[in-house]
Amino acid sequence: LDAFQQPLTVDGRAVPTSLSIGISVHQGGAVAGDELIREAGIALARAKARGKRRFETFEPPMGVEAAARLKLEAELHQAVGRDEMKIHYQPIVDVSTGRIVGAEALTRWVHPEHGLLHPIDFIGAAESSGAILQLGRYVLQEACRAAVVFGRLNGRDRDFGINVNVSSRQFRDRERLLADVADALSESRLRPEMLTLEITESCLLDDLDTAIDIVRELRTMRVHVALDDF
């Protein structure tokens, strides 16, 4: 870890690096190499989750946690098809008039065993497993449909907005994100300017040039972009 504190020099440029280490130790007895590597990998994941630039040594409880996470990831891929994902809508109020002008779509998972789960319980697993792409598309489609319905119920077809959170994993998949947005707007017939996509600053910082291009394309589509959690 100490050796990697200093930047590496590549083609005359200083390149900062971040090193995380997972350790698996066995004393005596026959242990298969792939088992050692699996345990070291679990410890490595723990080191990264706790902030990187550190080491973690495998302990048996980590294996239990990893198995539970794998089970959760597998269940996530089926959750949308089983209609287990529900969207709650938090009102957005114009404080000068007291009028509800829109809503933010908040995802909840009605798990068959664990009951109602909030995003903090499953979004990390959705990101790492790739299930976030399917989930994000579903939330986007349902939220746009709901915005149209809410507007009609309130007699304001043209001014009810909907805010939808977009994960960094979705944001990195440029073509898919733009296609999902276009499809959701087309199917719901929601006016593009009524949709606001909320992104975190990490979406921008991962690849700033690409992020700027995506934001420009969304603005060309007349979709709003808001920076969240900065």
Side-chain angles (χ1 to χ4, degrees):
L1 285 172
D2 289 341
F4 276 83
Q5 291 298 315
Q6 298 300 318
L8 299 178
T9 301
V10 180
D11 292 335
R13 296 184 179 182
V15 180
T17 59
S18 175
L19 184 69
S20 301
I21 300 173
I23 302 171
S24 177
V25 178
H26 281 266
Q27 296 180 351
V31 180
D34 57 355
E35 180 69 9
L36 280 168
I37 293 173
R38 185 187 70 82
E39 292 180 357
I42 292 172
L44 175 61
R46 172 69 67 88
K48 291 179 178 178
R50 290 188 170 181
K52 301 181 180 180
R53 296 191 179 186
R54 57 182 294 139
F55 70 88
E56 292 286 342
T57 302
F58 177 82
E59 297 176 0
M62 292 183 187
V64 176
E65 293 173 9
R69 187 178 181 87
L70 286 174
K71 183 174 183 289
L72 189 70
E73 291 178 354
E75 292 171 338
L76 267 169
H77 282 286
Q78 304 174 48
V80 172
R82 292 176 176 173
D83 197 30
E84 294 171 2
M85 290 296 176
K86 304 297 180 184
I87 304 175
H88 293 187
Y89 295 93
Q90 178 170 284
I92 298 174
V93 179
D94 181 346
V95 294
S96 64
T97 64
R99 187 165 63 96
I100 296 176
V101 296
E104 179 177 0
L106 304 172
T107 311
R108 301 291 184 264
W109 183 6
V110 185
H111 193 281
E113 296 178 23
H114 307 300
L116 188 67
L117 299 181
H118 287 240
I120 194 171
D121 299 317
F122 63 84
I123 287 298
E127 287 267 7
S128 60
S129 67
I132 193 69
L133 299 176
Q134 179 190 17
L135 176 58
R137 186 186 313 111
Y138 167 77
V139 173
L140 188 59
Q141 291 172 342
E142 292 299 311
C144 287
R145 293 191 191 109
V148 173
V149 173
F150 292 152
R152 290 172 180 167
L153 289 174
N154 286 277
R156 298 191 302 273
D157 287 357
R158 301 186 62 79
D159 65 350
F160 194 92
I162 191 73
N163 288 32
V164 179
N165 291 287
V166 174
S167 74
S168 58
R169 180 77 177 265
Q170 288 175 271
F171 202 75
R172 287 197 298 268
D173 196 334
R174 172 179 179 168
E175 299 304 322
R176 186 168 186 169
L177 174 62
L178 295 174
D180 287 347
V181 170
D183 289 345
L185 292 172
S186 176
E187 291 173 9
S188 65
R189 298 188 178 180
L190 179 70
R191 291 196 302 135
E193 53 266 39
M194 293 295 98
L195 173 63
T196 298
L197 300 181
E198 296 191 9
I199 62 175
T200 61
E201 64 178 358
S202 62
C203 292
L204 301 177
L205 297 178
D206 285 346
D207 185 345
L208 187 57
D209 291 337
T210 299
I212 290 173
D213 288 341
I214 296 174
V215 170
R216 283 175 176 162
E217 291 191 58
L218 289 168
R219 296 297 295 131
T220 300
M221 297 168 66
R222 305 201 313 278
V223 171
H224 294 283
V225 178
L227 191 61
D228 194 15
D229 295 336
F230 61 92

